[in-house]
Amino acid sequence: MEAAAAEAEVRLLLQEARESIEAARSYRRELQQRLRGLHQAREQIKDSATSTRDVLEQHFSDLKGTLKKLLDERLTSLLQEVDVIEQESIKPLDECQKLIEHGVSTADDLLREGESAVDGDVGQQNEKLCNFTKKALHIQLDSLPEVPSLVDVPCLSAQLDDCLLTILKNQIFRHGTVASRPPVQLEEFVEKPGGILVRWCKVDEDFSAQDYRLQFRKSPGSPFEDVYVGSEPEFLVLHMDPHVDYQFRVCARGDGRQEWSPWSVAQTGRTTLVPHEWTAGLEGYSLSSRRNIALRNDSQSCGVLYSKAPTYFCGQTLTFRIETVGQPDRRDSLGVCAEQRNGDESLQRDQAVCVSTNGAVFVNGKEMTNQLPAVTSGSTVTFDMEVVQFGPCSNEGGNFKLRVTISSNNREVVFDWVLDQCCGSLYFGCSFSYPGWKVLVF
């Protein structure tokens, strides 16, 4: 008895020891994970600080270079003005100087000739005096050129407004800010077929955002590209390859401001859901290169255009967006079905739920009393489904029931759709009787 009790006690102690060891390992893993998180946080602070220093130094270096260039250009322009005024003002003075110097030279010649006539030989004196007198009368010794007074000629000066330095000083002291955190951050990535719904939120309650700017890139080495600019706090990014990481970042523009805020911390998102595609080859429809847009063409052929594969799963949101409209017809349909069926002209049949372009809702071929608004260009029609029954046959005769919500133009219709068998995934489809309708699915 004592041996058995001792053995049981040992086993209990061993079990407790194993549990303690596993708890210690788990605790160590959690601590190591937190250490990695601390390391990433430290690296983010250091890297962002280094990047901010580089941006500030480069910006102010460029600013100084630009200011010096502008000041040099202004100085050159003012010096040219001085040169022009000086040259234009000196020119008439130079002409006056030439006239006066010519008069002085003439007077010198006349003086010499007069003195020679007065002091010359008596025999030639009369002739010299006569010639001198005639010459003196011809020269008009009483005619003097006018010389401008100092108040009538330019006196150049520079007018420099000292308030410019005050204005520049005030502007420079207010120029630039350093933010420890951006005012908006990425909040959520929601997988969509062939896309990602990106949501963001404000983290600075004092910041009033007027617009947001979302960018993404496929690989860390490639440049970011604008994918959305607008006032909404979310955007569905389409045309994304499944199982590929994309980096996103967002910034905002304050109310009444022109400049954008600092970028949020870049985060990685991906989708594992293959994109929705229409089936190629149906004569009545033309498809885009990615086969997610279908256009009803002028062909007389009419029928249902189905999805390439059953890519819609319960719990997802399937969206049809009407890009352009044609002539409506009561047989038109946009919807979901359990199986492809050739030969049908519309999804208004059994094993399908759909909406007509006039807003009528059909469940297994029967029109419901409730209906949605008629679709127009730019309208979106969304289908949301969830399983509400999966098991033995119910009174309606089916054993698989889905709760369906169809929404369009701020209205929605909710109903239960009973199927004969379990459907893990569903097809989608559309049909239009007349050309001109273009629909995007995502």
Side-chain angles (χ1 to χ4, degrees):
M1 291 289 293
E2 293 181 359
E7 185 177 351
E9 184 179 357
V10 170
R11 284 199 301 269
L12 180 61
L13 290 173
L14 284 174
Q15 180 63 27
E16 290 179 354
R18 293 190 184 97
E19 291 176 356
S20 297
I21 291 172
E22 183 58 35
R25 286 173 177 165
S26 178
Y27 181 63
R28 184 179 63 181
R29 284 196 300 270
E30 290 294 331
L31 289 176
Q32 289 174 340
Q33 184 174 354
R34 280 162 173 74
L35 280 175
R36 286 192 292 270
L38 281 175
H39 177 73
Q40 291 175 349
R42 188 187 303 274
E43 288 300 311
Q44 177 172 301
I45 294 172
K46 288 183 171 294
D47 291 347
S48 62
T50 300
S51 175
T52 302
R53 289 189 192 96
D54 293 341
V55 169
L56 288 171
E57 290 173 356
Q58 184 63 48
H59 174 77
F60 277 87
S61 175
D62 294 343
L63 195 61
K64 285 190 288 186
T66 302
L67 284 175
K68 184 179 184 306
K69 180 181 178 183
L70 292 174
L71 289 172
D72 289 344
E73 289 177 353
R74 182 57 181 162
L75 174 60
T76 301
S77 175
L78 291 173
L79 291 176
Q80 288 175 349
E81 287 187 38
V82 172
D83 293 341
V84 170
I85 295 174
E86 180 185 26
Q87 293 171 6
E88 292 179 350
S89 302
I90 290 294
K91 184 177 180 180
L93 298 182
D94 289 342
E95 293 175 353
C96 184
Q97 180 176 342
K98 290 180 181 179
L99 182 62
I100 291 174
E101 288 175 347
H102 178 70
V104 170
S105 176
T106 302
D108 287 342
D109 293 342
L110 188 62
L111 281 172
R112 285 192 296 271
E113 188 175 343
E115 291 172 353
S116 175
V118 172
D119 298 334
D121 295 338
V122 177
Q124 299 177 348
Q125 191 173 26
N126 289 336
E127 183 180 356
K128 288 184 176 180
L129 289 173
C130 184
N131 291 334
F132 172 75
T133 302
K134 290 180 180 179
K135 190 173 184 180
L137 290 174
H138 179 72
I139 292 176
Q140 298 181 350
L141 295 176
D142 59 345
S143 176
L144 295 173
E146 184 176 357
V147 176
S149 64
L150 295 181
V151 297
D152 293 329
V153 296
C155 180
L156 279 70
S157 63
Q159 294 179 332
L160 302 172
D161 193 350
D162 292 337
C163 72
L164 175 63
L165 292 177
T166 304
I167 295 173
L168 284 175
K169 182 179 179 181
N170 293 334
Q171 290 292 331
I172 289 172
F173 283 167
R174 291 198 302 265
H175 181 66
T177 58
V178 176
S180 60
R181 292 177 179 84
V184 291
Q185 291 283 13
L186 295 168
E187 182 180 31
E188 185 182 16
F189 297 105
V190 181
E191 290 187 68
K192 296 291 182 179
I196 300 175
L197 178 62
V198 184
R199 293 194 176 106
W200 52 88
C201 64
K202 290 196 306 178
V203 293
D204 183 355
E205 294 302 325
D206 296 330
F207 183 82
S208 178
Q210 175 182 327
D211 291 306
Y212 298 101
R213 180 183 180 189
L214 178 67
Q215 291 188 335
F216 83 112
R217 63 182 179 184
K218 192 171 183 178
S219 58
S222 60
F224 279 96
E225 301 177 20
D226 284 340
V227 69
Y228 172 74
V229 175
S231 59
E232 296 298 324
E234 64 179 34
F235 183 72
L236 177 60
V237 185
L238 295 174
H239 312 316
M240 312 201 79
D241 299 326
H243 306 287
V244 173
D245 287 338
Y246 292 86
Q247 277 193 330
F248 295 87
R249 66 181 186 181
V250 68
C251 65
R253 181 161 50 198
D255 195 11
R257 305 295 294 269
Q258 295 296 322
E259 71 278 5
W260 291 100
S261 74
W263 289 105
S264 68
V265 177
Q267 296 188 40
T268 301
R270 63 157 52 191
T271 180
T272 59
L273 306 176
V274 297
H276 293 316
E277 294 183 9
W278 298 104
T279 300
L282 190 62
E283 186 177 348
Y285 295 88
S286 303
L287 305 183
S288 63
S289 59
R290 289 184 174 266
R291 294 191 289 277
N292 59 344
I293 299 177
L295 170 67
R296 179 69 169 90
N297 56 36
D298 294 331
S299 173
Q300 295 300 317
S301 176
C302 186
V304 177
L305 175 65
Y306 291 102
S307 58
K308 180 181 178 181
T311 53
Y312 175 67
F313 296 86
C314 292
Q316 298 178 1
T317 297
L318 178 69
T319 302
F320 298 99
R321 188 170 72 204
I322 306 300
E323 304 291 306
T324 60
V325 298
Q327 180 180 337
D329 186 272
R330 63 176 302 277
R331 296 169 297 172
D332 295 341
S333 61
L334 287 166
V336 176
C337 57
E339 60 184 0
Q340 291 182 336
R341 206 159 69 184
N342 297 327
D344 290 328
E345 293 187 353
S346 174
L347 284 174
Q348 299 172 17
R349 60 169 177 82
D350 63 335
Q351 300 293 293
V353 293
C354 67
V355 178
S356 180
T357 51
N358 62 7
V361 179
F362 292 84
V363 183
N364 288 336
K366 296 179 181 179
E367 184 175 354
M368 293 184 61
T369 303
N370 296 333
Q371 69 174 41
L372 297 167
V375 299
T376 57
S377 180
S379 293
T380 58
V381 181
T382 62
F383 288 75
D384 291 274
M385 299 186 187
E386 60 177 338
V387 179
V388 294
Q389 180 178 323
F390 178 65
C393 293
S394 65
N395 294 333
E396 288 88 354
N399 63 350
F400 190 63
K401 184 186 294 185
L402 299 176
R403 180 71 44 81
V404 181
T405 302
I406 307 178
S407 304
S408 179
N409 295 327
N410 298 320
R411 292 271 303 276
E412 67 177 29
V413 174
V414 182
F415 57 89
D416 289 341
W417 179 27
V418 179
L419 295 170
D420 293 336
Q421 59 185 359
C422 171
C423 294
S425 57
L426 299 166
Y427 291 90
F428 57 85
C430 69
S431 66
F432 300 102
S433 299
Y434 297 99
W437 291 93
K438 181 191 287 188
V439 58
L440 164 69
V441 62
F442 57 89

